[in-house]
Amino acid sequence: MEAAAGAHFTGLRLDSLRLSSPSDPFSPSSAKAFPMPVDDSCDAPRQPFVIGVSGGSASGKTTVCDMIIQQLHDHRVVLVYQFGLRERGREIVLVPEKAMEAATGAHFTGLRLDSLRLSSPSDPFSPSSAKAFPMPVDDSCDAPRQPFVIGVSGGSASGKTTVCDMIIQQLHDHRVVLVYQDSFYCGLTAEESEHVHDYNFDHPDAFDTEQLLECMGKLKSGQSVNVPIYDFKNHRRCSESFRKVNASDVIILEGILVFHDPRVRSLMDMKIFVDTDADIRLARRIRRDTVERGRDVNSVLEQYGRFVKPAFDDFVLPSKKYADVIIPRGGDNHVAIDLIVQHIRTKLGQHDLCKIYPNVYVIQSTFQIRGMHTLIRDREITTPDFVFYSDRLIRLVVEHGLGHLPFTEKQVVTPTGSVYTGVDFCKKLCGVSIVRSGESMENALRACCKGIKIGKILIHREGDNGKHLIYEKLPGDISERHVLLLDPVLGTGT
Ligand SMILES: Nc1ncnc2c1ncn2[C@@H]1O[C@H](COP(=O)(O)OP(=O)(O)O)[C@@H](O)[C@H]1O
Ligand SMILES: O=c1ccn([C@@H]2O[C@H](COP(=O)(O)O)[C@@H](O)[C@H]2O)c(=O)[nH]1
């Protein structure tokens, strides 16, 4: 395509190439005589997405780039930087999605996985032995999922509510609720009301954090809650009315001091700090408080100088260090909001274990994969069919695993004389299989990597306390190699 789709690409030209294709389209000699378009058809001119990564020396720019590339492993990404291409190893655990689902039911423990592994039969593929050691089946996806909790902090009038509203708008296909820290203002007593101008609404003590924690705990555990309604005009909660907040996929907790208390912070999966210039915050606050909160300009300015600014410096700004994402310019920063929404979508689509263990990759299920799982989990399956479909699934796992290895850029010249910029496989590889179940994966690895060295280890577990290495035969230079550990959990689910 690159050759055919240069400046003069026409469908006609592609057609004529196709028509002149040789009788054996796969013969290299005929490929030379009748140059076929090469496999870079996806290289048709597209606007690349260009990302600039900046930061001070040794700030972690390269590490961040590497992590982005690792996570985008199914996309074509080039990294342009001063020091050439580098390889960086990372331990990756690959788990086929259905096995993960099975392993992460309500009662998942590492112990349970281990005990299943140790009980693995002498013939790892034998359906009868799989019957003896039943695997949990995939109905655990009905288990209640943990909501994704986002904390949004920043100075008063920085644009927190605006950013939250934009996130909610963009996440329209998910159930999202917004909880305001402001709802948990203690409110003034009659005595305090007489000296309202002396009250510091920007101090952490102005909030009922215990009640906030209780509400968030309930929401996280899937219960709905009645959140108080706070009236900024008379500085009190409405005594009779509440806002009912239902349990949801995403809970956003927004407020000036939501990062201040470590217990509140620990509830959050993602922390966003809205970073807006102080002058802009003050200007917006004057406008908002005079229009919406029944104040006059003088009282806003006085409160700002006495309480809002000092509290920002003492409590809000120091909590910025806990943020995962800092949004400069608040709601005007559409790129940041887009990124956050994409991230939330990814997390929502992710298996719960991936949230805990970021190096776990769950292979996306397809109907093909589900079909194979259905077959091998069927108690009526014959041994040859079990072996055949297990082998196909194993091959997929191995191929995915190889896809996570580092690569180096490589250019080749195509039969048409054009230069194709591709990648070179990572060379220093080996497999290590756990005796005996790991042996079921060896053939797939050999089929994918010509001449790969495969070592073996036998592990024995004593009680629950530890594993003991009984036997090992590993490549002498294993420390220089990327290791694919072959450690399947086999079973039919019957
Ligand atoms: N990007 C923006 N441009 C203009 N006005 C804004 C912008 N973001 C927020 N505002 C206005 O500033 C005021 C405070 O914004 P808000 O999102 O409520 O801040 P916070 O929740 O941090 O107090 C509101 O009146 C809002 O309409
Ligand atoms: O009775 C009250 C309660 C709070 N405030 C001020 O509100 C802001 C926090 O709300 P934002 O929406 O984040 O701006 C805080 O700075 C308090 O000073 C108030 O004036 N009266």
Side-chain angles (χ1 to χ4, degrees):
M1 262 298 250
E2 211 174 63
H8 309 289
F9 167 72
T10 63
L12 204 73
R13 190 163 152 197
L14 259 190
D15 277 355
S16 63
L17 270 171
R18 204 175 299 132
L19 282 172
S20 34
S21 70
S23 51
D24 172 9
F26 291 119
S27 137
S29 58
S30 45
K32 269 173 211 151
F34 302 94
M36 280 288 284
V38 283
D39 69 340
D40 26 357
S41 49
C42 47
D43 291 342
R46 277 183 101 199
Q47 277 295 312
F49 190 76
V50 181
I51 308 169
V53 179
S54 183
S57 165
S59 58
K61 298 182 293 297
T62 312
T63 310
V64 166
C65 292
D66 283 350
M67 290 168 81
I68 294 172
I69 290 176
Q70 281 284 347
Q71 291 196 28
L72 281 172
H73 69 274
D74 53 349
H75 291 276
R76 291 175 310 146
V77 190
V78 282
L79 179 55
V80 182
Y81 59 151
Q82 266 180 309
F83 308 106
L85 286 153
R86 290 173 229 171
E87 282 195 11
R88 228 163 254 260
R90 205 149 79 89
E91 184 200 339
I92 287 166
V93 182
L94 270 166
V95 188
E97 190 171 49
K98 289 297 140 189
M100 281 276 283
E101 267 175 22
T104 56
H107 309 290
F108 165 74
T109 64
L111 204 73
R112 183 163 153 199
L113 268 185
D114 278 353
S115 61
L116 274 168
R117 199 178 302 136
L118 278 177
S119 336
S120 70
S122 52
D123 172 4
F125 279 129
S126 148
S128 58
S129 41
K131 271 173 207 157
F133 302 98
M135 275 289 284
V137 285
D138 67 343
D139 40 22
S140 57
C141 44
D142 295 337
R145 286 182 79 88
Q146 279 285 313
F148 190 77
V149 181
I150 306 168
V152 179
S153 183
S156 169
S158 58
K160 298 182 295 297
T161 314
T162 308
V163 164
C164 293
D165 287 347
M166 290 170 78
I167 293 174
I168 292 172
Q169 285 284 340
Q170 291 193 31
L171 278 175
H172 56 88
D173 53 349
H174 288 282
R175 291 187 312 152
V176 191
V177 286
L178 183 51
V179 177
Y180 302 96
Q181 188 184 28
D182 290 349
S183 306
F184 298 90
Y185 266 119
C186 300
L188 301 189
T189 60
E191 198 189 332
E192 286 166 337
S193 290
E194 284 174 22
H195 311 281
V196 61
H197 299 297
D198 296 327
Y199 192 89
N200 187 353
F201 290 102
D202 293 76
H203 192 278
D205 291 347
F207 296 94
D208 185 345
T209 302
E210 301 306 318
Q211 193 187 9
L212 167 72
L213 282 165
E214 194 190 321
C215 275
M216 288 300 290
K218 282 188 178 162
L219 281 175
K220 272 200 94 162
S221 65
Q223 300 170 54
S224 55
V225 287
N226 282 329
V227 173
I229 296 174
Y230 188 75
D231 181 348
F232 284 91
K233 285 187 179 152
N234 66 25
H235 318 284
R236 289 209 188 122
R237 294 181 183 187
C238 304
S239 50
E240 279 114 45
S241 37
F242 291 90
R243 185 169 69 102
K244 187 170 182 214
V245 177
N246 290 319
S248 289
D249 301 333
V250 182
I251 304 168
I252 306 180
L253 175 61
E254 177 260 280
I256 51 171
L257 289 170
V258 289
F259 298 165
H260 177 73
D261 189 307
R263 295 170 301 165
V264 181
R265 275 200 314 270
S266 70
L267 298 171
M268 298 167 186
D269 300 296
M270 184 187 200
K271 298 183 211 69
I272 299 170
F273 190 93
V274 182
D275 201 8
T276 303
D277 178 82
D279 295 346
I280 294 178
R281 279 191 277 117
L282 176 57
R284 285 182 189 164
R285 178 153 173 149
I286 294 171
R287 191 186 302 131
R288 181 194 64 190
D289 285 7
T290 49
V291 175
E292 294 169 26
R293 294 188 182 176
R295 315 283 162 80
D296 60 59
V297 176
N298 281 340
S299 75
V300 176
L301 290 176
E302 200 204 309
Q303 185 190 13
Y304 189 85
R306 256 182 98 188
F307 300 118
V308 182
K309 185 174 163 32
F312 178 82
D313 294 338
D314 292 347
F315 304 113
V316 184
L317 195 55
S319 74
K320 182 174 159 181
K321 62 174 174 282
Y322 300 114
D324 304 305
V325 183
I326 295 167
I327 310 190
R329 305 181 307 281
D332 292 335
N333 194 334
H334 293 267
V335 173
I337 289 161
D338 236 40
L339 282 170
I340 289 163
V341 170
Q342 287 304 333
H343 179 80
I344 299 167
R345 281 188 201 285
T346 308
K347 289 289 167 192
L348 286 175
Q350 233 178 30
H351 204 280
D352 279 349
L353 263 191
C354 302
K355 293 176 195 153
I356 309 168
Y357 305 107
N359 63 340
V360 169
Y361 288 82
V362 181
I363 297 168
Q364 197 84 53
S365 192
T366 61
F367 285 123
Q368 275 291 313
I369 292 178
R370 207 168 167 84
M372 290 189 273
H373 277 116
T374 312
L375 283 165
I376 66 168
R377 285 175 174 185
D378 186 341
R379 66 164 76 195
E380 306 299 336
I381 193 167
T382 62
T383 301
D385 278 359
F386 184 82
V387 173
F388 179 82
Y389 290 109
S390 302
D391 270 343
R392 271 192 67 192
L393 282 166
I394 287 170
R395 183 78 176 253
L396 287 176
V397 175
V398 170
E399 290 279 10
H400 272 270
L402 292 169
H404 286 273
L405 289 167
F407 54 84
T408 44
E409 191 180 297
K410 185 179 179 182
Q411 293 190 336
V412 291
V413 180
T414 69
T416 58
S418 59
V419 174
Y420 174 77
T421 305
V423 296
D424 201 7
F425 296 133
C426 159
K427 291 275 161 12
K428 295 225 112 187
L429 271 188
C430 73
V432 171
S433 75
I434 310 269
V435 177
R436 289 189 45 112
S437 60
E439 290 162 358
S440 62
M441 298 183 78
E442 289 180 8
N443 280 345
L445 185 57
R446 287 202 183 89
C448 296
C449 307
K450 225 164 66 188
I452 188 166
K453 289 190 175 179
I454 300 184
K456 285 185 194 297
I457 49 176
L458 176 64
I459 299 166
H460 177 62
R461 192 177 65 129
E462 271 186 3
D464 288 335
N465 290 331
K467 298 173 187 125
H468 293 278
L469 191 62
I470 308 287
Y471 169 81
E472 61 158 296
K473 192 165 187 300
L474 302 170
D477 57 351
I478 189 165
S479 60
E480 292 160 28
R481 294 174 180 269
H482 292 277
V483 180
L484 284 115
L485 185 69
L486 310 177
D487 186 19
V489 178
L490 298 166
T492 65
T494 53

